[in-house]
Structures are given as structure tokens and as C-alpha cells.
Amino acid sequence: MSENPRLTVTLHQEQDFQFRVRFDGTAIPELLTDESEPLGQGAGPSPTLMLTTAIANCLSASLLFAMRKFKNQPGPLVTTATTELVRNEQGRLRVGHVQVDIQLAEAATAYQSLERLLAQFENFCTVTESVRHGVEVSVSVRDADGMQLHGIEVPAGA
């Protein structure tokens, strides 16, 4: 695997706020996303729901990996994540806080090195640690002829 792997998704607008998401270079089935009402129709997960899901899934997978690394055979984890939306100074909605609750399948005494793995599993969650520390996002907008209308110059298709 490359030292700095790249992941690419392509979105095609279907109608209104509905987008068909393609996970480029994978066999993963396409996904329909949509904003909730009143903006969209709620026909698929919104970007905020997908971010919440990504955080919860990454933390769950990191905990599962850590538990197995320390020779545990955990039963199924159940994770609930709740995102609180807040308004910024301009009155625009932002993700203010995400609460993730992970339920283990067994009592704490059933696991080896639980204190040690709980102290470190969050550090291995790519998504959560990226969100916590901020992620640089660059944006460019081109017209149908490929003319750069907004943002930094990025080669088309890069």
C-alpha cells in the first residue's frame, strides 16, 4: 500500500439534493444520498449522517482491532452515535459535537488488557482523529468547458 493512499468518490446529481455516490476503484455498490426534509426528501443519508456514521464506524473498528490485538475474541459491538448540530455566529448549522457510545458484548472481566487497549484505541481511528484535529479541504469549481471558476488550480481528474 502506498505511504499516502488516495481515496476517490464521484457524485452525480440525480435530482434536487439527491446524489448517486460512486466509490471509485472499488466494487462497493453505489449509494444514494439526500438531504432531509424540507431541503431534500430524505431518500438517503445526508452528509452529516455519513460523517456521524464514519466516526462511529471508525471508532468501532479501531476498538475491535485493539481487542483482537490483545488476544480477545469480542462478541458483536453495538455503537450509537449522536450528532448535535449548532449554529455558528452567522446562523449556519455546523456539527457541534458527536457523542459515540460503544457497548461491549460481555462484562469487562471477560477481556484481557482492557485498560491498556481502551487507553489507546481512539488514536488509531483515522476519521475521528482527523476530524478532531481539523482537515484541510481545498475546493475548485469548473464549468462544462473545464474553465476554473473558483478555488485553487487543480488538474482536471486529479
Side-chain angles (χ1 to χ4, degrees):
M1 183 151 123
S2 169
E3 187 171 321
N4 293 314
R6 297 178 90 174
L7 307 172
T8 304
V9 297
T10 301
L11 286 74
H12 290 274
Q13 182 186 16
E14 299 236 326
Q15 65 180 14
D16 294 325
F17 291 92
Q18 293 179 10
F19 290 86
R20 178 80 40 205
V21 180
R22 183 179 69 222
F23 301 94
D24 299 341
T26 75
I28 299 170
E30 292 181 349
L31 172 70
L32 181 71
T33 63
D34 193 6
E35 290 289 344
S36 57
E37 292 183 1
L39 221 52
Q41 299 172 5
S46 69
T48 306
L49 278 174
M50 290 177 49
L51 177 63
T52 303
T53 301
I55 291 168
N57 186 236
C58 190
L59 283 166
S60 299
S62 292
L63 180 57
L64 180 62
F65 179 84
M67 293 181 86
R68 288 179 176 169
K69 180 180 175 186
F70 286 97
K71 310 295 186 232
N72 292 294
Q73 296 300 319
L77 303 176
V78 177
T79 303
T80 302
T82 304
T83 294
E84 177 186 3
L85 298 175
V86 297
R87 295 210 179 261
N88 67 8
E89 299 80 29
Q90 293 80 32
R92 296 185 180 105
L93 284 176
R94 297 294 183 253
V95 173
H97 180 255
V98 179
Q99 174 66 45
V100 178
D101 298 300
I102 303 172
Q103 178 75 47
L104 301 177
E106 300 166 34
T109 56
Y111 303 107
Q112 297 179 47
S113 306
L114 188 60
E115 186 175 317
R116 185 172 172 200
L117 70 90
L118 289 175
Q120 58 182 278
F121 84 96
E122 291 183 53
N123 295 325
F124 294 97
C125 178
T126 303
V127 174
T128 303
E129 287 304 300
S130 298
V131 171
R132 279 182 176 155
H133 298 286
V135 177
E136 180 181 343
V137 177
S138 302
V139 178
S140 88
V141 177
R142 297 176 182 275
D143 70 8
D145 296 325
M147 179 182 213
Q148 181 87 26
L149 304 174
H150 172 80
I152 61 169
E153 183 64 33
V154 179

